[in-house]
Amino acid sequence: RTRLDIDARRELLLEIGREAFAADPYDAVSIDAIAHRAGVSKGLLYHYFSGKRGFYIATLESAAAGLLTAIEVRRGEAPGDPVDAALAAFFEYIAKHAALYRALVGGGVGSDAE
């Protein structure tokens, strides 16, 4: 593997996390497996994120940011009603990322406020 800079490594970890938490509930996701898949040590993953919960929260925050970006881009590009454009982008995102969206809104750590 090529050496990644800090931002690229963090984004790779978040991408793997989005896939993992979309596929499995929080308790079933293994940080060891995430680290192995990313080609990093578990310690390095914990350097980027403050444990499994911190990684989970960062992963869902990145998913939420992706949703908001999709809505903003569409709303800015579409002619006509910006609310219609935003809703269309919202539903397209859900259709394309259904499992990740379920993880985002369903949560996996109970009623954690974060």
Side-chain angles (χ1 to χ4, degrees):
R1 277 192 192 208
T2 59
R3 186 168 171 85
L4 299 175
D5 68 25
I6 292 170
D7 292 335
R9 172 83 60 208
R10 188 174 195 282
E11 183 52 39
L12 172 64
L13 291 167
L14 290 172
E15 180 182 327
I16 293 169
R18 288 188 297 267
E19 292 170 5
F21 290 117
D24 294 308
Y26 176 84
D27 291 334
V29 173
S30 162
I31 290 299
D32 288 323
I34 299 282
H36 182 274
R37 183 166 170 210
V40 301
S41 69
K42 189 163 118 174
L44 183 62
L45 194 144
Y46 286 151
H47 173 75
Y48 284 96
F49 308 98
S50 61
K52 183 177 180 179
R53 181 177 173 276
F55 178 60
Y56 175 74
I57 291 168
T59 298
L60 292 186
E61 286 173 344
S62 75
L67 172 59
L68 292 175
T69 298
I71 291 170
E72 286 301 317
V73 167
R74 172 63 75 79
R75 203 170 72 190
E77 291 177 353
D81 187 355
V83 174
D84 287 345
L87 284 172
F90 178 76
F91 290 120
E92 283 176 22
Y93 182 92
I94 292 171
K96 186 176 180 181
H97 306 283
L100 182 59
Y101 182 76
R102 278 192 302 277
L104 178 62
V105 298
V109 190
S111 61
D112 189 315
E114 288 189 73

